[in-house]
Amino acid sequence: MTAINKVAVIGAGVMGAGIAAQVANAGVPVVLLDIVKEGDRNRNVIAETAVQKMLKADPAPFMSKAAAKLVTTGNTEDHLGLLGECDWIVEAVIERLDIKQALYRRIDEVRKPGSVVSSNTSTIPLASLTEGLSDAFAADFCITHFFNPPRYMRLLEVVSGPATRPEAAEAVSRFADVTLGKSVVVCKDRPGFIANRLGVFWMQCAVSEAMEQGMEVEEADAIIGKPMGIPKTGVFGLMDLVGLDLMPHVLGSMIGLLPKTDPLHAVHREMPLISRMIAEGFTGRKGKGGFYRLNREGGAKVKEAMSLSGGQYRKQIRPDLEILSTSRGDLRKLLASPDRAGRYAWRVLGQTLSYAASLVPEAAADVASVDEAMRLGYNWKWGPFELVDKLGVDWLVERLEADGLPVPALLREVGGKPFYRTEADRRQYLGTDGAYHDIVRPDGVLLLSDIKLTREPVLKNGSAALWDIGDGVACFEFTSKMNALDPDIMALLGKSLKVVGKQFKALVVYNEGSNFSAGANLGLALFAANIAAWTEIEQLVAAGQETYRALKYAPFPVVGAPSGLALGGGCEILLHCDAVVAHAETYTGLVECGVGLVPGWGGCKEMLARWSTLGKLPKGPMPAIARVFEIISTATVAKSAAEAKELLFLRPTDSITMNRYRLLADAKARALELARDYQPPEPVELTLPGETARVALEMAADGFHRRGIATRHDLVVSGALARVLSGNGADVTKPVSEGDVMEEERAQFMRLIRHPATLARIESILETGKPLRN
């Protein structure tokens, strides 16, 4: 198999530059080339400007500024020879066949034998791309369709041609999986492949049906979104996100490529409103607004939405659709409802599921590929065939027939059987041959969801569970809403530590939620404060401290395996683990100060210990204290696992896994490695300057207040943090124990939780998602 050690991307537009950035994020050198801009003295200006824009962009294509240093920029006239050093060459230029083929001929002259060349096209057939090119080029060529933005979207569609060497496609697929963190779905050489073929149909159907049935955009998005397991943006919010001006191009391409018999032609409508919005610059979030906008006229901020019937902006409304409440969790009930919401839901989802069934085996080999493509390409919670199983195949077929909608052969031939089942402890999908087939995970992939099909938890309560994941390793899973930490989690974690000590070699803290943990349950804290249950709050803080300390000094290794948000208490549990294997998209930080509190479960003392020993700072205790004060007081959150290392939320020795599906297996392997000759860490003693440090930190905070950066309550909170980090009266000549720092954490936490301004911030976060600036 071809080893991929260096990559080239040709085309420094949004997609090409983003692909190059993700390669660099993986620690792999990448060459980024584009054409020479006419009349510019800097012949590399297009590629160089793309990198500079990405360094300033939010959300950031780069996971760290250091990653950008792995990108070599150039142009296709002077630097095409650099391709001879590359193992994989990705073409991401304009969607014109003549331009692509001319470029391929030039690439073929300079590339090294056996290097793989791929196109990021989503519209031009592979057969057309390679027509007239050498047999050697065709053997090394495939399509690799990334989704935008390449860093954050996990799907990669790979298309091989009849001449493509299996080893070439396998090399790219393996690299994309393990190194770039993509889930690879193999597609057939059909227009739009899988995700966009179905996604464009779904969006077109949702928009046209909304207009025909007189729906408001807020109503349509509420119906299409959460009830169907689709992100809350729904369809109109999604169009604003990707850009209204992009849709006519994608749709036009699909209409031109698909035969007249394809159902997309039947749902296609000319939409004068959208054409007018594009012409006037209302192209979505990147323009002056889209179907939604924030009107800032007159200094106010008014949320508005486009009226589909009137074609004018108006104040946003909260959809009042009774069926969404009465059918909660019952999709069939929603689709069967005779009211306008039910009719709209059925017309959109019924046609979409019918179309999905028509794509197998025409565009995809099996239903599992279609479901994976929609889950990862469009962020659907359930793929279309998983939705069919929720409804029942027979029910769906009967309803489609009753409404005169197409019933593809796949739906007729299954004979009412579900598309998925669990048999002999394995999840299986129904193939086009009428037989069930195991869903086979790639080597190095271990999912807790698969383990749950075969085992009962070792321990369980309403907020957490302990699982046996094999080879003497246990897994502790948060299961509460947003995986927020509550007394039940702390109680079960305490019990689990005792069980693991007797029955297992090691423990992994991991879950497969969207977020590792959003932190402590603020709603519970506010409720307790409102009834003045101060003793109960202090007991919770003390229990968290004791549990995390027991975890740190357990007689077995504990490995944290976060993905997504790991905030507040979620960050603190990672700080107490022996090692962390973090998904690349881990966003972690101690955010308590933003809420009006200080970290109460040992986060302060762990960060002090790390910056005192691992931080590359001048000698003496003050530089480490000042850096930790800066990070915690500003509620700094690392925007990637790489950035978390820079902030020492992760140690230099902690590892990063690019593919979310590989996280548990990597964490388990690390736990077993540590278990071989494990010895618990020695207790840490800190040197803290006491009063001198406290005064210096408070003076720094006061300076921010004078400049209008910090509020009055920020000063109160930073003062409490200063007392914790300085040792609050500590003698610089005497070491301070971990227990002393944690005791001060608890005392300052309890002082702040009683403060009216802190309670106002918590209430604001729970109501609006944002803290009050008071």
Side-chain angles (χ1 to χ4, degrees), residues 357-619:
S358 74
L359 299 183
V360 181
E362 188 251 329
D366 51 64
V367 298
S369 296
V370 177
D371 282 349
E372 180 77 343
M374 296 309 293
R375 283 194 303 265
L376 298 185
Y378 280 77
N379 286 325
W380 287 16
K381 184 176 182 180
W382 305 292
F385 294 98
E386 291 172 314
L387 287 170
V388 172
D389 279 356
K390 283 180 174 293
L391 297 172
V393 176
D394 288 342
W395 183 90
L396 177 63
V397 169
E398 184 179 338
R399 184 72 192 274
L400 289 171
E401 289 177 335
D403 281 23
L405 294 173
V407 181
L410 181 67
L411 292 178
R412 293 191 185 278
E413 292 168 0
V414 298
K417 292 187 289 188
F419 283 105
Y420 293 95
R421 73 176 187 181
T422 300
E423 187 74 16
D425 295 339
R426 289 183 174 274
R427 194 172 190 228
Q428 299 178 325
Y429 69 89
L430 186 63
T432 54
D433 58 358
Y436 283 98
H437 304 267
D438 290 346
I439 294 178
V440 179
R441 306 294 184 195
D443 290 341
V445 171
L446 177 65
L447 299 182
L448 190 57
S449 57
D450 288 346
I451 291 170
K452 290 179 179 181
L453 297 175
T454 66
R455 301 176 191 177
E456 293 296 321
V458 178
L459 295 173
K460 187 179 187 335
N461 65 19
S463 296
L466 182 71
W467 298 91
D468 181 347
I469 60 173
D471 301 313
V473 180
C475 175
F476 189 83
E477 175 196 27
F478 307 142
T479 60
S480 58
K481 184 177 181 181
M482 288 287 288
N483 292 326
L485 304 173
D486 59 23
D488 284 349
I489 286 179
M490 290 301 171
L492 195 73
L493 182 54
K495 290 180 182 178
S496 296
L497 293 174
K498 294 175 183 177
V499 170
V500 174
K502 295 176 182 178
Q503 301 178 21
F504 295 88
K505 299 176 186 176
L507 176 66
V508 172
V509 183
Y510 164 90
N511 64 73
E512 288 170 0
S514 299
N515 296 297
F516 178 73
S517 174
N521 187 326
L522 291 179
L524 187 62
L526 183 63
F527 174 77
N530 284 337
I531 62 172
W534 309 118
T535 301
E536 287 76 5
I537 293 175
E538 187 161 12
Q539 287 173 348
L540 175 60
V541 177
Q545 289 183 338
E546 292 167 8
T547 304
Y548 282 8
R549 195 170 184 180
L551 180 147
K552 179 177 180 178
Y553 295 110
F556 50 83
V558 180
V559 175
S563 179
L565 295 177
L567 304 178
C571 177
E572 287 176 296
I573 195 170
L574 297 176
L575 290 170
H576 286 81
C577 291
D578 293 287
V580 173
V581 178
H583 181 230
E585 299 299 346
T586 295
Y587 319 116
T588 188
L590 297 171
V591 297
E592 289 86 349
C593 285
V595 184
L597 297 167
V598 294
W601 287 336
C604 295
K605 57 99 176 173
E606 289 298 317
M607 288 295 283
L608 279 172
R610 290 192 180 189
W611 277 97
S612 297
T613 56
L614 301 175
K616 297 178 181 178
L617 300 171
K619 293 181 179 180

